[in-house]
Amino acid sequence: MDIIDGPKHGSIIYHPSILPRHRGASAINWTLIMGDKKAGFSVFWADDGLDTGPILLQRSCDVEPNDTVDALYNRFLFPEGIKAMVEAVQLIADGKAPRIPQPEEGATYEGIQKKENAEISWDQPAEVLHNWIRGHDKVPGAWTEINGQMVTFYGSTLLNSSVPPGEPLEIKDAKKSGLVTKNGLVLFGNDGKALIVRNLQFEDGKMIPASQYFSKGEMSAVELTAEEVKVAETIKVIWAGILSNVPVIEDSTDFFKSGASSMDIVRLVEEIRQRCGGLQLQNEDVYMATKFEDFIQKVVKKLRGEDREVELVVDYVSKEVNEMTVKMPYQCFINGRFTDADEGKTYDTINPTDGSTICKVSYASLADVDKAVAAAKDAFEHGEWGRMNARERGRLMHRLADLLEENQEELATIEALDSGAVYTLALKTHIGMSVQTFRYFAGWCDKIQGSTIPIDRARPNRNLTFTKKEPLGVCAIIIPWNYPLMMLAWKSAACLAAGNTLVLKPAQVTPLTALKFAELSAKAGFPKGVINIIPGSGGVAGQRLSEHPDIRKLGFTGSTPIGKQIMKSCAVSNLKKVSLELGGKSPLIIFSDCELDKAVRMGMGAVFFNKGENCIAAGRLFVEESIHDEFVTRVVEEIKKMKIGDPLDRSTDHGPQNHKAHLEKLLQYCEAGVKEGATLVHGGRQVHRLGFFMEPTVFTDVEDHMYLAKEESFGPIMIISKFQNGDIDGVLQRANNTEYGLASGVFTRDINKAMYVSEKLEAGTVFINTYNKTDVAAPFGGVKQSGFGKDLGEEALNEYLKTKTVTLEY
């Protein structure tokens, strides 16, 4: 490549705007102020006007409703700008660089970097006010007059939820008073809509949380421990180094009044991070505590975890049910807050017990998915989560597990309402195993390690080679409707323990426990953007997740056809890592030498557990001929004892199927079995009552070619085939004659037979003289068309990690 010099090629300039509309140093600020839907940058040839030369290349990105200048730079302008400059240089070197004249029409040159130009004009819609404030964010800051003094606003977001209660605050020229709430200062546009600002700065330079306006940010002093005194002394030395003109740093020393500038803030924050054990402060922390004694108090409170963000705003749908008040969030959870879907769409989530609507839930659009991914990416690359040490990450996960356990009755009730899960089972399994999963993976956070590897050392040099296990980045998780919270836990706990951020799409028909989980994750202290929950359809939200270029891993549990489609999309988009837990047709072989009472009891559980809506359910039972008839008789006798009814009734054994369409599919499945000649021994019908209830069903005389023998029902349907006495290899061949391989089982008292069968069965899990016995420490996943990859156990971590090999010579 030629060296590009001025005389031969001319100079090129990077400019953060899509010219010509906004020019000058404040162009990107104008992009936000004007409410542009697109931002971007231009690389152009310099001329005498510097920013009026011909265009060489341009790149653009969508502007999200709450973007700031910083957000746009971090997400797009900086990383993509570097790539574009490299591309521009290459185009010049190759002689292919275009020179596209810039039109003058519509170009603006007004400067907005002066404080007097940033005053807020109040008689405008809320979105225009929001754009003005975020466009001036950081420099010079949009301001207004409150109680006779200039107050500058920072950290504006549009308020899409209901206005929280607060104390009125008169603002000069504003037609409606602001509200000081626990979440910030709510402001109103002339259209009745609202926005909320997070921080306020006064004329003396001090910044406070807007929620503390009436207390002016006063902090109750805390007594320092011996260790905290050492930190304070270290920080005093840092202040002295920056404020070299101040003879002695005293408690009353003011950082800015002593001559510090904005660059000194960066130095202060970075020096503290390096010399105080990685303590991460924000620039705003300095503005909020400008005096040394106040600054030390803020640092100490941050060290103690007391300096947390304001409380989460949640709109609930509340129901009095199960002798409690159940409070259910229903909006998308993106970047640490609940918000309506971008297009305002909602859908009904249905109670399968009676077919009634529980509530309307936000229906995520493509824009919502993109916002959630952007938030997760920012949290991973620039947020507190990416800098957090592993033990602190584990502490947050332990705290979340505690909150899940503290709220287990409410969560189990929501699960019963939304998915039809029997309450007692939901307590033990749906919620109980979710708690266990988070506790298990919390313990793994600080035990993710690489290894050192001896390699061939060419003399006289010496080499050291080691591996590091690193998080992948943003991960997408798509979960099914049969165990809404437990499937969330199985995947997200491993994902978070590995240090990733996530965007999770719950099943469209069962979103409510996932949204409650989002609320609890915020209460546990997870930084914003780390966990995002987007309810909606698989065709819209799920498909976008599989195609999104910023997602590095997708974990999916669901049907095999959808899994294939997801895998194809992931490959075509950016070859993202994939793990799939798909369909099953798990065989259960029952030999005549089994303990029959146990085989009957466990066999029923293998089929009817969780209403048969169980990925590892025994899809086909092979019963040895000599005990076949007795086994069937006993099963039918036990089914007749089962109580079908309200899942919240503690004596209920069998609740409703998850949703109406699934019930209809199960009834068609039974009709197909009867038509093919299988014997319907019991059930096969819908229960005559409100809701989506189906009778536990038993088919016998099922032959290998039949539909029932090949396809999964995913419902309470027991498929029984007999095999000849002593024909071990024959029944194994029949059991393996399926494209699925998720789970399997065998009942026999003969340990040699059991081990032989377990070795020959083609499945990810084999149960011997038990069934449904999963544990958080035992890896779980299938083979063949049941998918690949593991949930649970140490192996699950590897699904969310990448290995980096490092070799150095010394």
Side-chain angles (χ1 to χ4, degrees), residues 102 108 164 303 320 375 507 552-553 561 633 654 672 740-741 772:
Q102 292 191 52
T108 59
L303 283 168
E320 298 294 327
R552 297 300 169 193
K553 158 70 196 282
T633 299
H654 188 79
Y740 301 107
N772 285 325

Side-chain angles (χ1 to χ4, degrees), residues 560 579-583 739-742 781-789:
T560 297
S579 59
L580 303 172
E581 195 250 281
L582 306 176
E739 281 300 303
Y740 301 107
L742 189 57
V783 297
K784 298 193 287 189
Q785 290 200 44
S786 288
F788 50 83

Side-chain angles (χ1 to χ4, degrees), residues 393-634:
R393 193 161 68 239
R395 189 175 67 84
L396 283 179
M397 292 184 65
H398 274 299
R399 186 183 299 159
L400 178 54
D402 290 343
L403 285 171
L404 291 171
E405 188 169 48
E406 289 171 18
N407 293 272
Q408 61 182 333
E409 289 85 3
E410 184 179 18
L411 287 164
T413 302
I414 296 172
E415 205 84 314
L417 290 174
D418 204 24
S419 75
V422 172
Y423 176 75
T424 51
L425 175 63
L427 267 181
K428 178 184 181 297
T429 302
H430 290 233
I431 315 305
M433 196 170 189
S434 300
V435 173
Q436 293 174 24
T437 303
F438 270 94
R439 288 205 173 120
Y440 173 82
F441 282 107
W444 267 112
C445 288
D446 61 355
K447 301 171 187 68
I448 298 171
Q449 306 170 68
S451 57
T452 57
I453 303 170
I455 66 170
D456 185 27
R457 300 174 178 179
R459 295 178 182 178
N461 298 323
R462 304 186 69 189
N463 299 282
L464 170 66
T465 296
F466 60 91
T467 60
K468 296 172 64 179
K469 298 285 189 178
E470 298 179 342
L472 297 167
V474 182
C475 297
I477 292 172
I478 302 175
I479 57 174
W481 43 257
N482 57 329
Y483 295 101
L485 187 64
M486 192 177 82
M487 290 292 99
L488 177 155
W490 278 26
K491 295 187 186 299
S492 63
C495 173
L496 294 169
N500 301 287
T501 56
L502 68 89
V503 180
L504 183 140
K505 194 199 86 65
Q508 185 171 348
V509 292
T510 53
L512 296 181
T513 44
L515 295 171
K516 190 69 178 180
F517 168 84
E519 177 194 352
L520 297 179
S521 72
K523 290 182 176 179
F526 277 78
K528 65 179 184 179
V530 174
I531 295 171
N532 304 273
I533 309 291
I534 47 168
S537 72
V540 176
Q543 183 63 27
R544 177 58 178 156
L545 288 173
S546 65
E547 294 172 345
H548 203 292
D550 289 334
I551 289 174
R552 297 300 169 193
K553 158 70 196 282
L554 190 145
F556 172 75
T557 295
S559 72
T560 297
I562 298 299
K564 290 179 178 180
Q565 181 179 335
I566 284 175
M567 188 174 177
K568 182 178 180 180
S569 298
C570 289
V572 171
S573 59
N574 64 342
L575 209 63
K576 59 176 63 70
K577 191 174 182 180
V578 185
S579 59
L580 303 172
E581 195 250 281
L582 306 176
K585 188 65 175 175
S586 302
L588 174 56
I589 302 172
I590 301 175
F591 289 98
S592 59
D593 61 356
C594 69
E595 185 181 335
L596 190 55
D597 288 340
K598 184 176 183 180
V600 169
R601 185 174 68 254
M602 291 282 186
M604 291 184 64
V607 177
F608 302 128
F609 187 81
N610 198 48
K611 311 162 291 171
E613 295 168 352
N614 187 21
C615 55
I616 58 171
R620 190 178 181 193
L621 277 65
F622 294 92
V623 182
E624 198 160 7
E625 190 172 21
S626 60
I627 61 167
H628 174 272
D629 293 349
E630 184 179 0
F631 178 86
V632 172
T633 299
R634 290 197 187 189

